[in-house]
């Protein structure tokens, strides 16, 4: 069975792209730091600092993706949904038994 996947909202895709760029930047910094350590280069200290900033940026971007996905999901559910499962519970609930007659 194939499920049709909906396209991610623009802000979620933008956050995911930023995360990918931060990961790529950090991997380049790791490689530069590794090569600088092998060569006993004075470039090692700045490369390690850039790598540390890259790790912080990746963590920040992953948090951004998680928050942005939550906001997009809330926007899809609507303004009055109390929780992610609130709408599902209301749809499943069926009236059971008899209703009391209306009085005028």
């Amino acid at each position: 069975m194939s499920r049709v996947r909906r396209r991610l909202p623009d802000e979620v895709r933008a956050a995911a792209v930023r995360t990918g760029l931060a990961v790529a930047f950090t991997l380049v910094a790791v490689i530069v730091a590794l090569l600088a350590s092998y060569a006993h280069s004075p470039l090692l200290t700045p490369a390690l600092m850039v790598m540390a900033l890259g790790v912080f940026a990746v963590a920040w971007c992953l948090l951004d993706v998680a928050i942005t996905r939550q906001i997009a999901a809330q926007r899809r559910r609507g303004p009055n949904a109390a929780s992610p499962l609130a709408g599902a519970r209301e749809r499943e609930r069926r009236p059971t038994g008899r209703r009391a007659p209306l009085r005028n």
Side-chain angles (χ1 to χ4, degrees), residues 20-73:
L21 288 173
V23 167
F25 175 74
T26 304
L27 286 176
V28 168
V30 167
I31 291 170
V32 168
L34 183 70
L35 293 175
S37 70
Y38 285 156
H40 299 289
S41 170
L43 190 64
L44 178 62
T45 304
L48 287 174
M49 283 192 273
V50 168
M51 185 180 69
L53 283 174
V55 169
F56 176 76
V58 168
W60 186 273
C61 288
L62 286 173
L63 190 63
D64 183 32
V65 168
I67 292 171
T68 308
R69 287 188 66 177
Q70 288 295 320
I71 291 171

